[in-house]
């Protein structure tokens, strides 16, 4: 299927904003700043520490998503003005005014379901990012193609051929290699923390895959605009984080400031004391808004599988950018290349790309006839473009013919035969 110019621009937009999203999120966790002041034996002090606030980052993400509601209201206002012009023109020429299209109401309670999936999946992956490098984190997100494929088979009834199962198997090999490279290069307790981070990231991808399948159902079956889905998920998520999750994290015992599991007040103070951290948070917030819009627009225009394919492609951009930042810009950010296990990570990334290409039938394996491009994946029937009913087609054709007969007879009566 040939891609249109609009679809290509959506893919590029998702690729760029998604890369900025990952890099700025990891950069926040690498920033060191003074936080919330507390009293000790020597008086009041604020010890500089890292910005380890993954749940606060989820709150920032939801704020970024909620800004898409502004775009939704602007779009609906423009459509309303165009409809008013069409009605005025119809009245002027004596034509029947066009019918107003049915727009779903903005507040849809059903969107709370993918919102909860987004909240849990993003937070789990954010906690895992504390213990692994940005490139490893991005590569492990390739697991979503395995989870999305299985869940789409179960819930969307999409038929998976042998080539798709092979692609998921190769992807799993890549995930194992990438995970081993991260664990092996960390010694002693750091290795166990890396393993914990990998487990949290994979669990987050399972939840995110469920979210993507739900969003595909909502976008195609209920025909919700992408701006509405992203904006309402952001609005619901911001409310849940502000009044439920973050207060709960404050009172749960932990190692953060004032003995909390996560102290959001400490995060705000750190942002105020560190300009670099503040800039990273703002870039992260803005990139989230555009990344989610591009992602949902691609899900609606193509499928959820295309969205996972773009996520796999942005991995190399994140990795190269992280290496460039570390070796050229500032060693406090980015990540170095591990000379011992870096090749293992490269092999894992290669397997991830091959698995993704096999799943999407982007490569041909001559020794496997069932890998031929002639066997295209059967897409799940889209309610946006419903299947043609033969009886309805014949009825429509007969209706058009009946309406055309008077015109044809009038035309034939005016013909002069020589």
């Amino acid at each position: 299927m040939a891609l249109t110019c609009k679809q290509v621009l959506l893919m590029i937009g998702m690729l760029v904003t998604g890369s900025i999203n990952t890099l700025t999120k990891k950069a926040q966790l690498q920033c060191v700043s003074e936080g919330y002041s507390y009293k000790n034996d020597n008086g009041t002090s604020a010890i500089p520490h890292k910005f380890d606030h993954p749940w606060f980052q989820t709150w920032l993400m939801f704020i970024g998503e909620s800004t898409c509601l502004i775009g939704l209201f602007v779009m609906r206002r423009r459509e309303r003005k165009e409809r008013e012009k069409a009605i005025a023109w119809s009245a002027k020429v004596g034509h029947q005014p066009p019918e107003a299209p049915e727009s779903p109401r903005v507040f849809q309670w059903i969107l709370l379901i993918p919102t909860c999936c987004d909240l849990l999946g993003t937070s789990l992956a954010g906690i895992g990012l504390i213990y692994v490098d940005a490139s490893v984190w991005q590569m492990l997100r390739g697991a979503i193609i395995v989870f999305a494929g299985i869940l789409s088979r179960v819930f969307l009834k999409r038929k998976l051929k042998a080539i798709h199962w092979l692609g998921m198997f190769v992807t799993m090999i890549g995930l194992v290699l990438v995970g081993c490279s991260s664990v092996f290069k960390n010694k002693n307790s750091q290795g166990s923390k890396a393993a914990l981070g990998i487990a949290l990231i994979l669990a987050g991808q399972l939840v995110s895959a469920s979210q993507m399948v739900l969003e595909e159902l909502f976008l195609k079956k209920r025909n919700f605009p992408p701006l509405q889905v992203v904006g309402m998920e952001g609005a619901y998520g911001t409310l849940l984080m502000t009044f439920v999750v973050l207060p709960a994290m404050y009172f749960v015992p932990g190692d953060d400031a004032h003995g909390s599991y996560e102290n959001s007040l400490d995060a705000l103070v750190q942002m105020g004391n560190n300009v670099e951290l503040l800039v990273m948070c703002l870039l992260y917030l803005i990139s989230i808004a555009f990344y989610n819009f591009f992602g949902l627009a691609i899900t609606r225009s193509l499928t959820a599988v295309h969205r996972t394919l773009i996520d796999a492609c942005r991995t190399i951009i994140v990795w190269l950018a992280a290496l460039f930042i570390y070796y050229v810009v500032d060693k406090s950010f980015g990540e170095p290349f591990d000379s011992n296990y870096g090749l293992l990570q490269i092999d894992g990334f290669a397997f991830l790309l091959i698995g993704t290409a096999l799943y999407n039938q982007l490569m041909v394996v001559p020794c496997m006839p069932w890998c031929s491009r002639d066997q295209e994946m059967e897409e799940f029937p889209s309610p946006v473009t419903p299947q043609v009913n033969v009886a309805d087609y014949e009825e429509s054709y007969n209706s058009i013919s009946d309406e055309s007969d008077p015109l044809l007879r009038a035309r034939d009566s005016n013909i002069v035969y020589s």
Side-chain angles (χ1 to χ4, degrees):
M1 180 183 67
L3 298 175
T4 64
C5 181
K6 178 182 177 181
Q7 290 171 339
V8 172
L9 290 177
L10 289 175
M11 294 172 69
I12 294 175
M14 182 180 174
L15 186 64
V16 174
T17 56
S19 301
I20 295 175
N21 172 19
T22 301
L23 292 170
T24 54
K25 186 171 185 176
K26 181 60 178 180
Q28 293 172 38
L29 299 175
Q30 294 174 325
C31 287
V32 177
S33 175
E34 293 185 354
Y36 197 75
S37 301
Y38 59 94
K39 293 183 179 180
N40 54 19
D41 296 336
N42 298 324
T44 302
S45 64
I47 302 175
H49 56 279
K50 286 189 175 182
F51 186 82
D52 294 337
H53 299 286
W55 294 92
F56 184 84
Q57 289 180 318
T58 303
W59 181 66
L60 290 178
M61 180 200 70
F62 281 126
I63 293 177
E65 290 182 355
S66 62
T67 57
C68 289
L69 287 177
I70 300 175
L72 176 66
F73 294 141
V74 171
M75 181 186 68
R76 289 195 171 184
R77 183 172 180 271
R78 185 185 307 164
E79 291 176 350
R80 185 171 60 253
K81 286 188 174 182
E82 292 178 354
R83 188 167 59 250
E84 290 175 354
K85 291 180 180 179
I87 293 174
W89 179 84
S90 300
K92 183 177 181 180
V93 299
H95 289 175
Q96 185 177 358
E99 296 182 359
E102 294 184 4
S103 299
R105 59 187 179 87
V106 176
F107 296 96
Q108 300 285 344
W109 293 108
I110 192 67
L111 294 178
L112 272 172
I113 300 176
T115 299
C116 293
C117 292
D118 197 6
L119 190 157
L120 181 60
T122 303
S123 299
L124 288 175
I127 298 173
L129 182 59
I130 298 176
Y131 306 114
V132 299
D133 294 330
S135 62
V136 174
W137 183 81
Q138 187 62 52
M139 291 180 190
L140 291 176
R141 284 171 61 88
I144 198 170
I145 196 171
V146 178
F147 297 133
I150 296 175
L151 293 177
S152 63
R153 173 68 181 89
V154 175
F155 296 103
L156 300 182
K157 307 304 179 184
R158 180 174 287 125
K159 294 183 180 179
L160 298 178
K161 300 181 183 296
I163 182 64
H164 306 126
W165 293 108
L166 176 62
M168 289 189 289
F169 177 74
V170 174
T171 300
M172 291 176 64
I173 296 177
L175 293 173
V176 172
L177 293 176
V178 172
C180 289
S181 69
S182 180
V183 174
F184 292 162
K185 73 179 182 180
N186 291 284
K187 306 297 183 181
N188 301 327
S189 62
Q190 295 298 324
S192 60
K193 289 183 178 180
L196 174 62
I198 292 171
L200 291 172
I201 294 170
L202 294 178
Q205 296 318 293
L206 175 59
V207 179
S208 297
S210 304
Q211 175 197 350
M212 291 175 63
V213 172
L214 288 172
E215 288 174 346
E216 184 170 352
L217 281 174
F218 295 152
L219 285 173
K220 290 187 174 180
K221 186 175 181 180
R222 297 175 179 266
N223 203 25
F224 291 156
L227 283 173
Q228 180 181 1
V229 177
V230 178
M232 286 312 304
E233 285 184 7
Y236 289 146
T238 301
L239 293 176
L240 286 174
M241 294 296 298
T242 303
F243 297 105
V244 179
V245 178
L246 291 183
M249 295 299 167
Y250 180 85
F251 291 104
V252 172
D255 298 329
D256 205 356
H258 284 264
S260 301
Y261 178 78
E262 181 168 324
N263 192 328
S264 299
L265 297 177
D266 179 66
L268 292 173
V269 174
Q270 283 188 291
M271 291 171 58
N273 293 334
N274 191 323
V275 178
E276 291 181 346
L277 176 59
L278 179 60
V279 171
M280 294 299 174
C281 290
L282 292 177
L283 285 176
Y284 175 72
L285 191 150
I286 295 172
S287 66
I288 277 292
F290 287 98
Y291 170 73
N292 283 274
F293 166 71
F294 287 134
L296 281 175
I298 289 174
T299 301
R300 186 182 187 186
S301 179
L302 298 169
T303 65
V305 177
H306 291 83
R307 184 173 171 181
T308 60
L309 179 62
I310 298 172
D311 264 338
C313 293
R314 73 171 167 137
T315 302
I316 188 64
I317 297 179
V318 171
W319 197 4
L320 293 177
L323 293 174
F324 177 82
I325 292 172
Y326 181 84
Y327 288 107
V328 178
V329 181
D330 188 353
K331 292 186 180 297
S332 301
F333 300 96
E335 64 183 73
F337 181 80
D338 187 82
S339 57
N340 295 324
Y341 302 103
L343 292 178
L344 190 62
Q345 185 176 351
I346 294 176
D347 293 338
F349 176 62
F351 272 95
L352 290 173
L353 287 182
I354 294 173
T356 303
L358 286 172
Y359 187 92
N360 293 276
Q361 297 186 355
L362 299 178
M363 62 183 299
V364 178
V365 183
C367 61
M368 300 178 182
W370 35 273
C371 288
S372 174
R373 289 179 59 88
D374 296 333
Q375 299 183 7
E376 296 292 339
M377 181 175 67
E378 297 182 13
E379 293 290 346
F380 179 71
S382 171
V384 177
T385 56
Q387 303 297 313
V388 177
N389 188 305
V390 176
D392 294 341
Y393 179 81
E394 292 177 351
E395 182 181 354
S396 175
Y397 176 81
N398 294 333
S399 175
I400 295 174
S401 299
D402 294 340
E403 293 176 359
S404 302
D405 281 343
L407 297 176
L408 294 175
R409 288 194 295 269
R411 184 198 66 181
D412 293 339
S413 62
N414 294 330
I415 296 179
V416 179
Y417 295 94
S418 55

